[in-house]
Amino acid sequence: METKEKTVLSGVKPTGEPHIGNYFGAMKQFVDLQEKYDESLFFIADYHALNTLHNADEMKQNIFEVALDYLAIGLDPKKVTIFKQSDIPQHAELAVIFNTITTMPYLMRAHAFKDAEAKNKEISVGTFDYPMLMAADILMYDTDAVPVGQDQKQHIEIARDTAEKFNRTFSDEFKLPEPLILKEVAVVPGTDGQKMSKSYNNTIPLFAEDTEIEKAVMSIVTDSKSPEEKKNPEEDNIFALHKLFSSIEELEGIEKRYKEGGMGYKESKEILIENIKKFISPMRERRKELEKDKDSIIKMLEENGEKMRERAEQKMQSVREKIGVSLK
Ligand code: TYM
């Protein structure tokens, strides 16, 4: 008999359309893991999104969209709890407590902060403190495993450090979570070969319409080798995406033709377009069906919010006792 593991938790920010990097790096894992864990918690990280999104209508719409995305990729609401971070104010409370045991120089070593600083971006306190809220998200529910892409690895290490620091400073309260990062898809490349990311404008949206898929794939950057020339598949941005969408046999065939010469980039892109369309269209259609029943999705979020709030409140009672602010 397969033994179930414990609690898996992860989140996605409602900052706009998810892309295939989000899917292969993280969200596909959510679907696979829902069968394996006793408890699967997937939430919409709206307070994290608030660092970059200051438009109430867009925020509202995007939150609903992430809930739809979760259902459309195959998360089963009977097996997982999908909830909205802002429904549980205890996350923010716990982040405030974590702030008091964390130093500025420690948070200044975080990649996200260093990148923003290197680019001379204006950094909000919320962005600087992002890892503390994320630690609160994770540690609140005694999470064992956190499926994410490579870019979140440091955040999970910070959550672990924070749990240890709290346990050492007060007494044992928090479990140390493990990141779940799949090596082959830890960093899914975009159409220009850099990490796929909305901020680089190099994405293929997860629920793209056929014409969007064509446009995105046609924009993939290649060198100028002719169809006859031999090519190194490992240096080509189209081939990197074939790895996600081809069967093993098909991938071997493409690889062989790259190495021997005779496969042009145009043909390679056309194959990729067909495979992406085949992959995306069933999910896209399912999403359109689910979208019709907005009310029941909102109801699900409300009910789950209530359930998770009770759970978080219990944890916080224990935390408040440990830090000495509870007089009971
Ligand atoms: P977000 O919304 O930016 O991204 C969601 C997930 O997608 C992964 N990802 C990628 N994986 C591989 N290749 C890519 N090109 C790629 N782009 C994005 C991300 O690693 C992430 O797993 N901080 C989180 C949200 C969050 C969270 C949490 C996650 C808030 N609290 C607690 C886990 C646990 C974020 O910004 O994800």
Side-chain angles (χ1 to χ4, degrees), residues 95-272:
V96 166
I97 295 168
F98 288 160
N99 279 342
T100 67
I101 55 167
T102 305
T103 67
M104 295 269 288
Y106 176 79
L107 284 185
M108 283 163 95
R109 288 199 292 273
H111 300 315
F113 171 73
K114 283 205 294 196
D115 289 351
E117 218 189 16
K119 289 182 189 141
N120 263 333
K121 283 198 195 155
E122 197 163 290
I123 301 157
S124 67
V125 176
T127 301
F128 181 67
D129 201 35
Y130 191 108
M132 292 294 99
L133 182 57
M134 189 155 157
D137 299 336
I138 297 171
L139 301 178
M140 182 70 83
Y141 305 106
D142 301 322
T143 302
D144 296 282
V146 190
V148 284
Q150 180 69 27
D151 60 0
Q152 299 300 316
K153 184 166 185 260
Q154 193 189 35
H155 287 148
I156 297 165
E157 284 161 4
I158 294 176
R160 287 174 63 93
D161 284 354
T162 308
E164 278 183 325
K165 184 102 193 255
F166 184 100
N167 293 348
R168 217 173 36 240
T169 308
F170 300 101
S171 54
D172 270 356
E173 177 66 49
F174 296 110
K175 247 192 196 177
L176 304 195
E178 293 290 341
L180 295 180
I181 299 172
L182 298 178
K183 212 164 121 237
E184 326 75 67
V185 285
V187 184
V188 174
T191 53
D192 58 358
Q194 295 186 79
K195 180 186 117 176
M196 187 175 287
S197 164
K198 266 170 265 177
S199 43
Y200 300 154
N201 231 336
N202 63 358
T203 64
I204 302 176
L206 179 57
F207 299 99
E209 294 293 338
D210 285 355
T211 50
E212 272 181 285
I213 297 171
E214 286 159 20
K215 200 167 147 237
V217 172
M218 282 306 171
S219 76
I220 295 176
V221 180
T222 63
D223 59 32
S224 54
K225 287 201 177 83
S226 69
E228 299 72 37
E229 277 179 82
K230 293 180 180 169
K231 301 172 183 69
N232 180 354
E234 294 310 325
E235 286 171 5
D236 176 47
N237 296 331
I238 315 168
F239 191 80
L241 294 171
H242 278 307
K243 287 183 185 167
L244 303 174
F245 295 99
S246 308
S247 64
I248 294 173
E249 303 81 66
E250 189 180 24
L251 192 67
E252 281 172 0
I254 298 171
E255 186 177 2
K256 192 159 172 276
R257 290 187 57 211
Y258 261 72
K259 287 182 175 161
E260 288 172 353
M263 165 78 88
Y265 292 128
K266 182 163 177 289
E267 184 190 349
S268 181
K269 284 182 176 178
E270 280 161 359
I271 298 170
L272 182 62

Side-chain angles (χ1 to χ4, degrees), residues 64 68 285-297:
F64 172 65
L68 256 182
E285 297 318 309
R286 184 156 68 235
R287 194 177 187 284
K288 283 183 186 156
E289 278 308 304
L290 289 161
E291 199 170 4
K292 293 179 188 159
D293 199 2
K294 190 168 178 172
D295 290 349
S296 73
I297 293 177

